[in-house]
Amino acid sequence: GEDVEQSLFLSVREGDSSVINCTYTDSSSTYLYWYKQEPGAGLQLLTYIFSNMDMKQDQRLTVLLNKKDKHLSLRIADTQTGDSAIYFCAEVVRGGNKLTFGTGTQLKVEL
Amino acid sequence: DSGVTQTPKHLITATGQRVTLRCSPRSGDLSVYWYQQSLDQGLQFLIQYYNGEERAKGNILERFSAQQFPDLHSELNLSSLELGDSALYFCASSVGQTTDTQYFGPGTRLTVL
């Protein structure tokens, strides 16, 4: 079945690294995504990783994928106050089209 | 800006009423998806259209329907509205039918009183 889980809340200090974790249960997932939602705004695509990759780096963002444990993480380096938002991981299964979202992790960046 | 537009931004209506939400996909995208975001259900997939045809259905109530027009814009119709239908409704678009990156619009916030 499809079920994507995330911790609900993360608080970090400005300048530190943030690590947001996600677990999924569908082993046939092909693409895994990270979206950001700021208050009152839509979902902004941050990055994605294909299931045959272990890692992807995009400027301050690093995505790690552990397929054996069905674990996905998003690391934000040098976290800034503008990174405060809710972060969603999402998966698409092989041959599928719908995104299955996690519960979202609220990231709070403190000065 | 994702290139996906949605109107209206906010909608306030009463129980029992019917509303229509509109979405225009990014230029060149043929698929349109509708999602509902609510406090108790989270983000849930409702329905997908590809080039005018329904392609996939999720947790969409029978009171809800959608269509995609020849110019590729889409409308989500919600009828016999209930308090529990209050939510943020997102539209997303992608180039193809499956496993293409989906880009989201800003959403329509529906409040049913």
Side-chain angles (χ1 to χ4, degrees):
Chain A
E2 301 165 359
D3 195 13
V4 183
E5 295 184 356
Q6 299 178 239
S7 52
L8 290 179
F9 191 76
L10 176 65
S11 180
V12 299
R13 287 189 178 276
E14 189 177 41
D16 288 350
S17 290
S18 307
V19 179
I20 302 170
N21 295 302
C22 171
T23 58
Y24 60 97
T25 59
D26 198 315
S27 57
S28 64
S29 294
T30 52
Y31 283 94
L32 294 136
Y33 297 86
W34 285 103
Y35 286 87
K36 175 184 179 183
Q37 185 177 29
E38 295 180 84
L43 292 162
Q44 175 194 353
L45 176 66
L46 288 178
T47 187
Y48 63 91
I49 189 166
F50 188 53
S51 59
N52 66 354
M53 298 168 66
D54 297 324
M55 185 183 89
K56 181 179 179 181
Q57 188 152 1
D58 185 359
Q59 298 182 326
R60 291 191 298 124
L61 305 179
T62 303
V63 179
L64 294 177
L65 176 60
N66 180 330
K67 282 197 74 176
K68 176 175 168 290
D69 296 335
K70 297 189 183 70
H71 183 264
L72 179 74
S73 67
L74 174 69
R75 179 177 179 270
I76 305 172
D78 186 26
T79 313
Q80 302 297 306
T81 54
D83 294 324
S84 293
I86 300 176
Y87 291 79
F88 292 92
C89 64
E91 62 175 352
V92 174
V93 301
R94 187 180 305 279
N97 31 30
K98 69 170 187 174
L99 285 166
T100 299
F101 284 89
T103 49
T105 298
Q106 181 161 3
L107 173 65
K108 182 179 178 183
V109 183
E110 297 175 325
L111 296 171
Chain B
D1 184 0
S2 67
V4 179
T5 61
Q6 289 187 248
T7 56
K9 195 170 173 62
H10 300 280
L11 201 47
I12 301 174
T13 189
T15 53
Q17 295 298 304
R18 173 190 166 94
V19 296
T20 298
L21 313 183
R22 183 188 167 104
C23 167
S24 292
R26 294 186 320 156
S27 177
D29 284 0
L30 297 180
S31 270
V32 169
Y33 309 77
W34 287 97
Y35 292 84
Q36 179 195 58
Q37 184 179 33
S38 63
L39 282 174
D40 52 345
Q41 299 285 333
L43 264 162
Q44 292 214 328
F45 168 75
L46 295 178
I47 197 164
Q48 178 204 3
Y49 277 80
Y50 174 77
N51 205 20
E53 300 288 330
E54 182 185 303
R55 271 294 176 263
K57 229 170 181 176
N59 300 320
I60 188 166
L61 299 171
E62 284 191 13
R63 300 183 285 110
F64 296 180
S65 64
Q67 54 184 328
Q68 186 179 27
F69 294 87
D71 67 351
L72 301 176
H73 90 271
S74 177
E75 292 181 355
L76 179 67
N77 299 297
L78 314 176
S79 62
S80 302
L81 285 167
E82 303 175 359
L83 296 177
D85 298 327
S86 295
L88 198 49
Y89 291 85
F90 286 111
C91 166
S93 73
S94 70
V95 173
Q97 296 186 58
T98 62
T99 56
D100 281 331
T101 300
Q102 295 179 29
Y103 295 88
F104 282 75
T108 293
R109 182 169 293 282
L110 172 67
T111 302
V112 183
L113 300 175

